[in-house]
Amino acid sequence: MSTARSNGAQAPEPHAADTHDLIRVHGARENNLKDVSIEIPKRRLTVFTGVSGSGKSSLVFDTVAAESQRLINETYSAFVQGFMPSVARPDVDVLDGLTTAIIVDQQRMGADPRSTVGTATDTNAMLRILFSRLGRPHIGSAKAFSFNVASISGAGAVTVERAGKTVKEKRSFSVTGGMCPRCEGRGSVSDIDLTQLYDDSKSLAEGAITVPGFTGDGWMTRIYAGSGFLDPDKPIRDYGEQELRDFLHREPTKVKVNGINLTYEGLIPKVQKSMLAKDREAMQPHIRAFVDRAVTFTACPDCGGTRLTAAARSSKIGGISIADACAMQISDLAEWVRGLDEPSVAPLLAALRQTLDSFVEIGLGYLSLERPAGTLSGGEAQRVKMIRHLGSSLTDVTYVFDEPSTGLHPHDIQRMNGLLLQLRDKGNTVLVVEHKPEVIAIADHVVDLGPGAGSAGGTVCYEGPLAGLRAAGTVTGRHLDDRAAVKPTVRTPTGKLPIRGASAHNLRDVDVDVPLGVLVVVTGVAGSGKSSLVHGSVPPGEDVVSVDQSPIRGSRRSNPATYTGLLEPIRKVFAKANGVKPALFSPNSEGACPTCNGAGVVYTDLAMMAGVATTCEDCEGRRFDSSVLEYRFGGKDISEVLAMPVAEAVSFFAEGEARTPAAHRILTRLADVGLGYVSLGQPLTTLSGGERQRLKLATHMGDKGGVYVLDEPTTGLHLADVEQLLGLLDRLVDSGKSVIVVEHHQAVMAHADWIIDLGPGAGHDGGRIVFEGTPADLVAARSTLTAQHLADYVGA
């Protein structure tokens, strides 16, 4: 096509379709946003930054991405929309120029034991088809290789109406599945310690059963005592063989206790159904502690932990079974698949190669397909979700990422940056919520929110190119070039924690002495074995407080006061001051407003349309019955106390007539982790990821322990917040605690007294100690990847 033009000819006007190159947001008011108006360039990489709680997620996820997904859902019929989650329109005046949004967030993947890396990414589905076509001996369809499909068969008569007559026909069916019948596809079997279920020196009447929920006069115990199968006054150690079998293993049987028809079931199946069938992380703390104490999980002896039947394991391709393939490191599996050449399944092999290569490209080649999805860190889970988008042919899509650098070593962040730029260069809009300077540095456009968090945030402090951010004088701009210096002097250890022969996951018989009484940082590239070393080798006990990355679970009724246990002492002092019951001062109990049941809002379900929440007219959103609000303590009613920010509540409960030491201790910890601006009654569902991480840290700081184990505490924290976290870690160490931190952030490494660096690579290329010593020695040696990045960071 010729591009020549005659002299004086005007350049052609751009086509109308090419003028829509901005996403325009005007008047956004979601959560703490204060009438925010911005214009986001399309087909560019825009980074949203600002302190934790400044409104980044409210703008990106709850406004732009939420409205995009809502509009797409509205293109379906009302019938289909009825099966989809209904989302309300965000509180915004104008949203213009939106494109299809694909959200890649940090939500942990399902913790169901049958969910693995392979099933979550559909890689297992492709492998099953491959083995059902090429595996020898041939044992059946793809279902025969699935550990989620049980083998079943049945036969019987069916009644069919044919030509006006009713005819009975014999029918039979069978499904050949790959699920191991012993462990039901879980890969492990549970062994229950009977001494933790009951005290055999006592009788049922004396409270022999020690399982949570089996109180002396509770219904559970009454069923056992009144069933007629057992003598309630005989010590369990004196039971005969039949009595003990009935007590522990009896199948569900109908019994009548005190004239009421009930179901009696042996204690072991009862515990298995009520407790062991649940996800451990979803359990209440006291039940989780009981399960950890009473149950040990061992690899299933029938399938060797592979989850598959003997038949599924017997079918092989070139001497490799599907169990062997799933156990391989993905980088090795990709090589094996590349060596297969079978024209009859060529399209399947091409798709499988592309998926496995995406794992390697994104830095997850060290995983195996059999790895349970629930054991992935937040960063790993996010990258697993990215895999299905890497090879996508879609363009002009908006990709929304939530801190993609989480859990990544500085070496891995460079690779992640390359992937983000690759998505942009294909013609997509990439929106990234991020704190790390390395990721902010590749932005085409930066939006900085603030200036503070919570009610002090919610405004745009800067919008434009990266170069202007440094000169803008915002909190982010001031801290962008901050570089922590290596400490000139380090603390002297008071003891050591010897770890010998650590071999969990990819660790290679590691021996290391972890110094106590100092700040220890365990680092290394993603997948090098850091968490395996710390969580697998530091024995959990009364003296160890472990704060992992598992997310806080909470409904809109949960808030910082309920989560931290702060509401308990507050309710007690209100009750004591007014001579009434403590239950009146809980919006989830007797004190709740009867109209909204203590929710503060009334929800109206509109089927496939988004439900409507209106402020309760009776309590005006205060959640309590009007009679409860007449009771006061320190001059305030309970709703006014829950509306206080933490900083105000600290001084309120510190002195005067409202002095409450128990509440003041918890509030001081919340202020220490930088949550002074959060109100006591703010729903947990409205807190950002960084705020939830710090709330969890504040709660665990109250635990009595000498050793604190923290797993990436900088997750979700702004550069300015990291300084506050380092001060908190220093105060913990100076108070006589030992702090062990699994961390990638160079500021935390530079601040450490001792560094243990694992590597040199990930998966089977890692699992060894490549350095242990002070940060200054690490920088001077420059012998590892971590050393090189830390030296660059501190300018050595």
Side-chain angles (χ1 to χ4, degrees):
M1 183 177 122
S2 172
T3 58
R5 292 200 309 272
S6 59
N7 286 339
Q10 293 291 318
E13 286 290 317
H15 194 287
D18 296 330
T19 59
H20 302 284
D21 53 1
L22 292 173
I23 296 173
R24 296 191 308 120
V25 182
H26 286 283
R29 292 176 295 274
E30 274 297 305
N31 298 326
N32 67 331
L33 297 179
K34 296 170 182 171
D35 264 328
V36 166
S37 297
I38 59 167
E39 294 185 338
I40 305 166
K42 287 188 186 176
R43 293 174 286 281
R44 296 292 183 271
L45 194 154
T46 302
V47 171
F48 294 79
T49 187
V51 297
S52 177
S54 60
K56 304 181 298 295
S57 296
S58 299
L59 178 59
V60 179
F61 291 94
D62 301 343
T63 304
V64 177
E67 178 66 354
S68 172
Q69 295 206 318
R70 187 186 74 83
L71 292 173
I72 290 168
N73 289 356
E74 283 191 352
T75 64
Y76 297 105
S77 66
F79 173 74
V80 174
Q81 285 183 55
F83 296 97
M84 302 172 83
S86 53
V87 185
R89 186 180 187 279
D91 188 2
V92 59
D93 294 334
V94 177
L95 262 176
D96 211 17
L98 293 175
T99 65
T100 304
I102 294 175
I103 298 174
V104 188
D105 60 17
Q106 280 192 49
Q107 291 296 320
R108 287 296 185 94
M109 304 179 87
D112 187 288
R114 290 203 187 90
S115 177
T116 65
V117 169
T119 59
T121 56
D122 296 335
T123 316
N124 262 36
M126 290 188 273
L127 270 181
R128 291 198 295 268
I129 298 168
L130 183 69
F131 274 86
S132 69
R133 303 298 186 268
L134 302 183
R136 293 291 176 268
H138 177 75
I139 61 165
S141 70
K143 289 180 180 176
F145 295 92
S146 172
F147 52 75
N148 287 327
V149 179
S151 295
I152 53 173
S153 60
V158 294
T159 304
V160 189
E161 288 211 7
R162 193 176 294 144
K165 294 180 181 177
T166 302
V167 183
K168 283 195 172 183
E169 294 183 357
K170 273 193 172 182
R171 296 273 174 90
S172 63
F173 73 94
S174 67
V175 175
T176 303
M179 178 190 290
C180 168
R182 171 86 178 261
C183 64
E184 297 183 338
R186 286 184 168 88
S188 63
V189 289
S190 56
D191 187 20
I192 297 178
D193 181 357
L194 297 182
T195 62
Q196 298 293 335
L197 300 189
Y198 58 85
D199 180 349
D200 66 356
S201 66
K202 294 181 180 178
S203 67
L204 290 174
E206 293 168 331
I209 302 176
T210 55
V211 178
F214 285 75
T215 52
D217 57 349
W219 266 109
M220 294 288 195
T221 308
R222 278 200 245 171
I223 293 171
Y224 280 83
S227 63
F229 302 125
L230 312 168
D231 182 348
D233 299 313
K234 185 197 289 186
I236 291 173
R237 64 164 64 130
D238 297 338
Y239 280 5
E241 189 178 329
Q242 183 60 45
E243 266 187 310
L244 199 59
R245 192 179 301 118
D246 285 341
F247 176 51
L248 294 177
H249 302 289
R250 192 176 182 96
E251 294 292 313
T253 310
K254 292 290 182 188
V255 295
K256 188 168 274 194
V257 179
N258 297 341
I260 302 171
N261 289 322
L262 298 164
T263 300
Y264 174 93
E265 189 173 18
L267 188 60
I268 288 177
K270 186 85 175 170
V271 168
Q272 285 174 329
K273 286 179 187 173
S274 64
M275 295 180 186
L276 302 192
K278 294 179 182 174
D279 167 25
R280 181 185 172 279
E281 292 302 320
M283 295 175 181
Q284 292 173 286
H286 70 287
I287 299 215
R288 189 187 312 158
F290 164 75
V291 169
D292 290 345
R293 202 170 56 239
V295 184
T296 53
F297 292 93
T298 53
C300 173
D302 287 9
C303 66
T306 62
R307 309 157 178 257
L308 293 159
T309 59
R313 301 196 307 274
S314 69
S315 181
K316 299 185 177 181
I317 302 173
I320 300 289
S321 70
I322 191 168
D324 299 330
C326 290
M328 280 184 193
Q329 187 165 305
I330 288 173
S331 55
D332 297 338
L333 180 61
E335 286 298 318
W336 178 74
V337 171
R338 206 170 279 113
L340 297 178
D341 184 19
E342 182 60 50
S344 63
V345 291
L348 179 66
L349 285 173
L352 188 54
R353 284 186 202 116
Q354 183 183 350
T355 303
L356 294 172
D357 287 344
S358 293
F359 270 103
V360 178
E361 187 182 351
I362 208 165
L364 292 177
Y366 60 87
L367 295 178
S368 62
L369 294 181
E370 68 178 7
R371 171 89 174 258
T375 65
L376 298 178
S377 70
E380 286 171 333
Q382 185 172 27
R383 283 181 286 156
V384 164
K385 292 176 194 172
M386 277 182 74
I387 281 164
R388 60 179 67 236
H389 305 303
L390 286 183
S392 171
S393 301
L394 288 171
T395 60
D396 260 330
V397 170
T398 299
Y399 285 97
V400 186
F401 291 95
D402 186 9
E403 290 188 56
S405 67
T406 296
L408 291 186
H409 188 271
H411 171 71
D412 301 310
I413 290 177
Q414 295 174 343
R415 182 186 280 167
M416 172 61 71
N417 283 347
L419 294 169
L420 295 175
L421 293 171
Q422 183 184 320
L423 285 172
R424 178 203 64 186
D425 293 345
K426 282 169 60 177
N428 297 306
T429 305
V430 181
L431 308 182
V432 183
V433 173
E434 188 53 83
H435 295 294
K436 291 275 176 70
E438 299 97 317
V439 181
I440 299 172
I442 64 165
D444 301 307
H445 190 75
V446 178
V447 178
D448 187 22
L449 285 105
S455 58
T459 60
V460 175
C461 299
Y462 172 77
E463 182 185 1
L466 175 64
L469 179 61
R470 288 187 168 88
T474 66
V475 176
T476 306
R478 289 198 304 272
H479 287 274
L480 198 57
D481 294 317
D482 279 3
R483 295 295 180 265
V486 173
K487 286 200 298 196
T489 57
V490 294
R491 300 178 182 92
T492 306
T494 56
K496 63 181 182 181
L497 177 70
I499 294 174
R500 297 289 177 265
S503 55
H505 299 125
N506 66 329
L507 293 177
R508 307 225 173 155
D509 213 21
V510 169
D511 294 339
V512 64
D513 290 328
V514 181
L516 297 177
V518 296
L519 175 59
V520 179
V521 170
V522 180
T523 188
V525 296
S528 59
K530 303 179 298 297
S531 295
S532 302
L533 177 68
V534 174
H535 295 300
S537 305
V538 177
E542 289 181 13
D543 200 41
V544 177
V545 177
S546 183
V547 186
D548 59 17
Q549 281 192 38
S550 60
I552 286 178
R553 296 170 183 270
S555 68
R556 57 176 175 256
R557 286 181 175 272
S558 304
N559 53 51
T562 57
Y563 182 79
T564 59
L566 172 65
L567 192 58
E568 196 62 30
I570 291 177
R571 285 165 52 194
K572 284 180 179 172
V573 293
F574 261 92
K576 188 175 180 182
N578 294 282
V580 291
K581 290 192 296 184
L584 284 175
F585 301 100
S586 169
N588 300 326
S589 188
E590 291 182 32
C593 165
T595 307
C596 62
N597 292 322
V601 289
V602 177
Y603 291 91
T604 308
D605 183 12
L606 299 178
M608 79 283 181
M609 309 277 292
V612 176
T614 52
T615 303
C616 175
E617 292 180 1
D618 286 5
C619 68
E620 297 176 342
R622 288 181 291 190
R623 305 176 65 188
F624 289 91
D625 186 41
S626 56
S627 61
V628 175
L629 298 179
E630 293 173 10
Y631 300 118
R632 305 181 85 76
F633 174 72
K636 293 185 181 291
D637 65 42
I638 184 69
S639 69
E640 290 171 330
V641 169
L642 291 178
M644 281 184 188
V646 168
E648 185 184 332
V650 169
S651 54
F652 177 76
F653 287 105
E655 52 198 29
E657 60 175 314
R659 184 174 178 273
T660 311
H664 186 255
R665 275 196 301 275
I666 297 172
L667 288 162
T668 304
R669 292 200 296 269
L670 287 170
D672 278 348
V673 296
L675 292 177
Y677 59 88
V678 173
S679 65
L680 307 186
Q682 184 175 338
L684 287 189
T685 50
T686 65
L687 295 183
S688 70
E691 288 168 334
R692 289 179 181 221
Q693 178 87 341
R694 284 183 284 166
L695 181 62
K696 188 174 181 181
L697 183 57
T699 306
H700 283 290
M701 277 171 58
D703 297 346
K704 290 182 171 60
V707 180
Y708 280 72
V709 177
L710 310 180
D711 196 349
E712 295 192 45
T714 60
T715 301
L717 293 190
H718 186 265
L719 300 161
D721 297 323
V722 172
E723 288 181 16
Q724 187 163 10
L725 176 73
L726 293 176
L728 176 65
L729 297 181
D730 277 341
R731 287 198 296 278
L732 278 174
V733 176
D734 293 339
S735 68
K737 311 288 188 188
S738 301
V739 180
I740 303 170
V741 183
V742 176
E743 190 54 82
H744 296 292
H745 202 295
Q746 295 102 315
V748 182
M749 292 183 211
H751 201 73
D753 297 308
W754 192 260
I755 286 186
I756 297 172
D757 190 11
L758 281 97
H764 58 46
D765 297 325
R768 292 189 288 268
I769 303 286
V770 291
F771 176 84
E772 49 181 320
T774 65
D777 292 342
L778 179 63
V779 168
R782 278 183 173 260
S783 56
T784 68
L785 279 170
T786 303
Q788 292 160 22
H789 284 279
L790 184 58
D792 292 342
Y793 177 83
V794 299

